Amino acid sequence: METQQGAIQQVSMQDLDTLANTAADVLAQVRDAMIEPHPRKVAPTFSSAAIADLCNVNKTQIKYLTQKHDLPAGQKQEGSKAKEYSLQDAITWVNAIAKRPSRPNGTDGKVLSVCNYKGGVAKTSTTVALAQALTLRGLNVLVVDCDGQGTATQLLGISPEQDVEIEQTIMPYIHGDMPDLHYAVQATYWQNLSIIPASSGLLAAEFAIPAKAMSQRGFRFWEMLKAGLQPLRQDFDLILIDTSPSLSHLTVNAMIAADGLLMPCPPDALDFASSVQFWGIFSELVEGLPDAKSKRYDFISIIYTKVQANEISRLVKTWMKQAYGAHINGIEIPDSTAARTASAQLKTIYDLSKPDGSAEAYRRYKDPLDRLADYVLDQLAIAWSKA
Ligand SMILES: Nc1ncnc2c1ncn2[C@@H]1O[C@H](COP(=O)(O)OP(=O)(O)OP(=O)(O)O)[C@@H](O)[C@H]1O
Ligand SMILES: [Mg+2]
């Protein structure tokens, strides 16, 4: 490969191979440095104020409630009177004290897909943050990574290229080697949050699914994920599917498997235009699938993400409100340095025990995510009450 500046470069397939290998080596080193001790992440700790917040009680009640309900008392910090609670402690507290809706006995868990065929609109950040926030509201959550990029897998502490064998992804089920997706569920470093991981091997699904549809007459190729996830609904209150930036066979499967859809969309003219196209193509696609037309969603919500405080974004929000009406749930996640700082360390905001930088920026980003978790929990409670 000619590297002289200004010269026209020709790149052979061998150069490309070298480039891919060098880049993979560099990324592996960066990951090793970031996720110490390799490869596991650690869950955050919680202050008494954070526990009180999660349980909707006053901080002054913590001592009394600890004794009354025999709850975890937290660890004293050296040189300070402050207590520190583990994630397990926090979940124990929430389950005992917070009066939040939960899945009635005998009712199936719900499936939510996060989708938008535009790339980089915060699908994965939203999926993982929402999953974490909902475990802190007492739910048992499964994230299904249906994107070969494996970003959700990575954020949940598993390196898609280093730690994930193709047998651990949805692929054996897609190939028909497994009866359902139970085999692929893995625990993560975060209590009550499991994952079905992804790796780049998921790209093969885009060939395997149509091949199966061609070879088996009447095969309902759009309902594969739905069928594979069905038995898991007893084990999980919520199954959250992260999709790739495309309307691929897997994305369509994720949308058909879902009881609810969440679309993160920045209020930007091009992102808005692309979202309109997305709904158009999806609805046309569904029209062509036998029986899919009768499908009902519990809810479809569009969330403003990466919102910038400027005139253009205010204008596009008015168009989006006109276009999507009640499907705009009013939650605005700002474009935030706190989001960028967290993801530069392969973390979400919920992985941080305390603000990493400005406390104000941390709160401005985390508050709307908390409200999104409350909103989703309310939607689930409504759907469970009708089940
Ligand atoms: N609120 C935010 N403010 C600033 N940056 C953000 C915010 N949310 C996400 N990002 C950044 O935007 C980038 C894309 O986010 P993310 O991976 O969640 O999007 P995505 O829609 O899943 O992307 P893809 O389409 O590639 O799957 C990441 O670098 C992330 O850190
Ligand atoms: Mg993503």
Side-chain angles (χ1 to χ4, degrees), residues 171 174-175 201-214 249:
M171 286 315 291
I174 298 288
H175 285 306
L202 248 62
L203 290 175
E206 299 313 313
F207 302 96
I209 297 174
K212 220 164 165 176
M214 297 275 274
H249 283 290

Side-chain angles (χ1 to χ4, degrees), residues 143-154 170 195-198 202 242:
V143 168
V144 184
D145 194 346
C146 278
D147 181 1
Q149 295 182 85
T151 318
T153 302
Q154 183 74 69
I170 60 169
I195 185 160
I196 296 186
L202 248 62
D242 186 30

Side-chain angles (χ1 to χ4, degrees), residues 17 34 52-53 82 91 94 113 119 124 133 139 149 164 218 244 254 257 283 334 338 381:
D17 189 47
M34 274 182 188
D53 225 31
I91 291 176
V94 166
S113 290
T124 306
L139 299 193
Q149 295 182 85
V164 183
S244 66
S283 121

Side-chain angles (χ1 to χ4, degrees), residues 118-125 147 149 151 243 245 306 333-336 339-340 343 365:
K118 192 76 195 280
V121 295
K123 291 182 289 297
T124 306
S125 314
D147 181 1
Q149 295 182 85
T151 318
T243 64
K306 299 174 120 175
I333 301 172
D335 184 85
S336 155
R340 277 187 287 270
S343 76
Y365 177 53

Side-chain angles (χ1 to χ4, degrees), residues 250-328:
L250 273 186
T251 304
V252 171
N253 260 270
M255 292 174 77
I256 297 286
D259 303 301
L261 299 177
L262 283 181
M263 181 195 261
C265 188
D268 165 279
L270 293 177
D271 291 334
F272 167 56
S274 157
S275 74
V276 173
Q277 210 182 7
F278 176 86
W279 292 118
I281 299 170
F282 180 62
S283 121
E284 235 171 73
L285 235 149
V286 168
E287 282 287 310
L289 303 175
D291 296 350
K293 273 177 279 187
S294 59
K295 179 163 179 58
R296 294 274 178 278
Y297 287 102
D298 291 334
F299 65 97
I300 294 181
S301 282
I302 292 143
I303 314 147
Y304 296 131
T305 49
K306 299 174 120 175
V307 181
Q308 296 186 352
N310 59 32
E311 258 326 298
I312 295 170
S313 116
R314 275 188 283 277
L315 174 66
V316 179
K317 274 190 278 181
T318 64
W319 301 344
M320 288 177 68
K321 268 187 203 130
Q322 261 183 322
Y324 296 128
H327 294 298
I328 299 276

